Amino acid sequence: MESGPAIFAGMVFALFGAGLLVWAATRVRHGRPVALGVSPVASAAVASLAGVVALALGAWCLTRV
């Protein structure tokens, strides 16, 4: 009964993290800004870090099933 919320949360974190990493990589590859009004390097780094953290949280949730 308790594994349902852990699976749901793990999948949400994993999908969000993967989507964020793909989106940031696509923006950087095309030379477009990841965030407006911010340094391109800093915004790409922060978005990538957030994506990796979300993927790690998703993996952690899924290992608790």
Side-chain angles (χ1 to χ4, degrees):
M1 201 65 175
E2 296 173 356
S3 65
I7 293 171
F8 178 75
M11 289 305 296
V12 168
F13 278 123
L15 287 173
F16 174 74
L20 185 59
L21 285 173
V22 168
W23 178 77
T26 303
R27 298 290 287 189
V28 168
R29 187 173 13 156
H30 290 289
R32 303 184 90 187
V34 176
L36 294 175
V38 184
S39 166
V41 174
S43 62
V46 169
S48 299
L49 179 65
V52 169
V53 168
L55 277 175
L57 280 171
W60 181 79
C61 286
L62 290 173
T63 60
R64 300 296 171 201
V65 173

